[in-house]
Amino acid sequence: MVQNAFPVRVPLVTEPMGLWKSLQTARRNVLAILPEIATRQPMVSGKTGKRWHMVMDPDALQHILRERLPDYPKSDVTKNLLRPAIGESLFIAEGAEWMWQRRTAAPSFSHRNMTALAPVMTAAAERAVQRLAANGPKRAINMFDEMVQTTFEVISDVTFSGDDAFDRDGVHDAINNYINTAGKISLPDMLGMPDWVPRLGRITGDRALTEMQKIADSAIDRRRKSGPPKGAPDLLDLLLAGADPESGRTMSTEELRDNLLTFIVAGHETTALSLSWALYLVAGDQERQDKARAEAQVVLQGRCATGDDVPKLPYIRQIIDEALRLYPPAALVSRTALKDDILCGRQVRRKDTVMIPIYALHRNHLLWDQPDSFVPERFANRKDIPRYAYLPFGDGPRICIGASFALQEAVIILASLLSSFRFTPVSGVSPDPVMILTLRPEGGVWVMSEPLPRVH
Ligand code: HEM
């Protein structure tokens, strides 16, 4: 934890850094190797062992993510990091292998299914409110831990609901262990060395992962035998029933497992981060917190938010949008160019690494007014924001499949918390934004939480 100006930011690089220092710095915080000029220019290129480009220009980003998708597959660094946990799932696969999985999984994330899953989110919000209330009148709480617990309850309930034998704690521990060890960008990964070069993090991370995969496999087999539990179908039922609309192909146990674990890995910490950063931001801005609370209290009248309330909570949504702008959980994604190309008038060669530093895009002075300030009102008129200037969920055919799920969940939980509690900063304590696999608040998000009299 560090003392820092509000809202905290990553100190970006203002002087050239050698290869060794870049690698050392990246091991602690990937974002700390971004050059400050990436927040002022449309594109920055360089060579650190390999040729690389950072792209912050909305038209060039549309070209990479939508128009020329097959020429810019996800980079090997990303795939090497994630493959041990989630296999060749939707997140990692390319080409036809990706396409059929996406077509098969997409209906599970339809608006109708998201509405049906909302009660799970409301129930998790209710438990979070009860836990905070049980802490007494006013107390310092690490809201990052609280939010990780809350979003993990949601994702495990919508993937393996009603399966009492599913070891939630075992899976949670395995994922945490994995992110903390194998998730650290290792030197061989940065240098693009082949897969067989051993990585320390990967070896220590593997045992927990095998265990986690076994737990998921047996839960899937049980469900195949027993059929869906009572009540609304969960993501496992939806995927079990899913078939590629073109080929009719269905998912094997292994494919189901890799995709369900992908939803767990990709879905719970990212959503917890959006909520934790949003709570940090409103704790530091009491006026905006009051405005958000007034909106939530009018709509909720003392209860927790439901799926039906979400459209009635536009200001809560703007706060989530702004938290995702300032602290995008996937703050840097990268691609490898498969063909020579021109981006922003500059030559890109085959095999160059093309990085999309979403953190720098979201704070680029050419695209945003007061880019480092917390101004949720900028999202009041979404049409004013160029689509490819704001990419917390990526875009194009590979846009996050869980975006509506995450936004619905975040609005339900934030509105429920703000209508029942006041959050204020803990004096002298701020989170340090550090990206390992995701942009995390190192040191936690410590705030004073104070229960409010109930509104009826
Ligand atoms: C606030 C929360 C979330 C954020 C910020 C986020 C961010 C992202 C981003 C940036 C990508 C694109 C990566 C790239 O292009 O390289 C992505 C893809 C993906 N996300 Fe999310 N995500 C979130 C929540 C979720 C949830 C809740 C789920 C599932 C339940 C999920 C599942 C996936 C999957 C499967 C992909 C790969 C899609 C494909 O390649 O077709 N994410 N996410």
Side-chain angles (χ1 to χ4, degrees):
M1 277 172 284
V2 289
Q3 271 184 290
N4 220 327
F6 177 84
V8 287
R9 47 181 302 221
V10 178
L12 302 183
V13 179
T14 48
E15 282 172 17
M17 230 187 218
L19 174 64
W20 182 244
K21 185 142 187 250
S22 301
L23 292 172
Q24 290 300 99
T25 308
R27 277 178 76 85
R28 198 191 95 71
N29 185 359
V30 182
L31 295 184
I33 59 167
L34 292 183
E36 179 76 38
I37 49 162
T39 63
R40 298 187 181 267
Q41 294 192 4
M43 184 163 165
V44 179
S45 302
K47 195 168 178 216
T48 320
K50 283 174 131 188
R51 274 169 56 97
W52 53 258
H53 311 273
M54 292 179 184
V55 184
M56 287 70 57
D57 174 66
D59 289 341
L61 289 166
Q62 180 167 350
H63 177 88
I64 297 165
L65 294 173
R66 180 177 292 280
E67 284 141 24
R68 299 280 295 274
L69 176 74
D71 299 342
Y72 289 99
K74 294 193 180 184
S75 68
D76 290 341
V77 175
T78 319
K79 292 179 188 164
N80 286 342
L81 281 173
L82 295 174
R83 192 175 284 113
I86 58 177
E88 290 301 323
S89 73
L90 182 56
F91 200 97
I92 285 183
E94 299 284 354
E97 257 316 292
W98 163 75
M99 183 83 87
W100 88 268
Q101 295 192 61
R102 178 90 190 195
R103 278 196 304 251
T104 309
S108 311
F109 289 88
S110 68
H111 181 69
R112 200 167 61 116
N113 285 329
M114 288 308 99
T115 311
L117 294 175
V120 173
M121 299 166 181
T122 304
E126 281 164 355
R127 288 191 295 271
V129 166
Q130 279 161 12
R131 278 196 304 274
L132 285 190
N135 282 321
K138 189 170 182 181
R139 191 154 158 200
I141 310 270
N142 182 354
M143 288 307 288
F144 179 48
D145 286 350
E146 263 300 324
M147 292 300 94
V148 170
Q149 179 174 345
T150 307
T151 59
F152 189 76
E153 283 175 13
V154 171
I155 201 75
S156 56
D157 276 1
V158 300
T159 41
F160 295 103
S161 66
D163 189 333
D164 293 335
F166 179 69
D167 178 2
R168 285 178 177 71
D169 291 343
V171 171
H172 194 208
D173 290 350
I175 290 176
N176 264 352
N177 183 21
Y178 172 69
I179 292 179
N180 286 326
T181 55
K184 292 207 177 184
I185 292 266
S186 67
L187 221 64
D189 282 321
M190 287 282 288
L191 294 171
M193 285 186 182
D195 233 12
W196 45 263
V197 176
R199 273 79 161 160
L200 184 65
R202 188 164 307 165
I203 293 162
T204 51
D206 263 0
R207 247 172 276 125
L209 290 178
T210 315
E211 196 44 42
M212 172 176 94
Q213 286 160 348
K214 269 200 233 141
I215 296 170
D217 282 353
S218 50
I220 293 167
D221 286 340
R222 272 197 302 280
R223 185 73 62 88
R224 271 196 206 281
K225 286 190 197 113
S226 68
K230 287 193 198 85
D234 64 11
L235 283 179
L236 173 52
D237 300 320
L238 292 166
L239 277 191
L240 269 169
D244 179 0
E246 287 197 6
S247 64
R249 182 173 164 186
T250 54
M251 288 191 188
S252 66
T253 296
E254 200 185 356
E255 287 159 347
L256 278 168
R257 171 248 282 166
D258 284 346
N259 277 301
L260 287 165
L261 290 179
T262 298
F263 299 155
I264 297 179
V265 173
H268 91 283
E269 199 192 84
T270 45
T271 313
L273 286 166
S274 323
L275 280 159
S276 310
W277 286 115
L279 286 162
Y280 158 72
L281 289 164
V282 293
D285 187 333
Q286 291 296 311
E287 216 173 290
R288 288 190 165 99
Q289 187 180 144
D290 285 341
K291 186 174 161 188
R293 176 172 304 106
E295 178 182 90
Q297 288 184 336
V298 167
V299 175
L300 304 184
Q301 299 291 315
R303 59 179 172 78
C304 279
T306 65
D308 290 341
D309 296 322
V310 171
K312 298 177 214 146
L313 297 163
Y315 193 60
I316 300 280
R317 169 67 193 268
Q318 287 164 38
I319 290 174
I320 297 289
D321 289 339
E322 181 71 338
L324 284 166
R325 184 186 69 83
L326 285 167
Y327 306 106
L332 177 77
V333 298
S334 71
R335 302 289 193 260
T336 303
L338 282 192
K339 290 189 182 153
D340 290 354
D341 199 2
I342 304 282
L343 292 176
C344 301
R346 205 173 286 181
Q347 207 190 9
V348 172
R349 288 198 214 129
R350 200 173 85 82
K351 292 199 175 164
D352 284 0
T353 298
V354 176
M355 288 180 257
I356 306 173
I358 297 173
Y359 181 85
L361 173 76
H362 286 180
R363 290 169 185 255
N364 194 292
H365 292 250
L366 302 172
L367 303 169
W368 303 92
D369 280 339
Q370 304 178 59
D372 293 317
S373 304
F374 173 52
V375 187
E377 293 75 11
R378 68 174 93 235
F379 286 98
N381 233 333
R382 285 303 287 259
K383 280 188 238 94
D384 295 347
I385 295 171
R387 179 157 179 165
Y388 283 79
Y390 181 62
L391 297 176
F393 296 103
D395 210 307
R398 298 209 70 152
I399 192 169
C400 176
I401 203 169
S404 321
F405 180 104
L407 289 168
Q408 171 175 281
E409 177 179 356
V411 170
I412 287 176
I413 295 171
L414 185 62
S416 304
L417 291 176
L418 287 179
S419 86
S420 303
F421 300 90
R422 172 174 303 284
F423 299 100
T424 44
V426 174
S427 167
V429 176
S430 313
D432 191 7
V434 170
M435 178 163 176
I436 297 176
L437 210 55
T438 49
L439 178 50
R440 285 172 157 190
E442 199 171 274
V445 170
W446 284 91
V447 293
M448 301 302 295
S449 152
E450 183 187 351
L452 297 167
R454 267 188 109 66
V455 180
H456 295 287

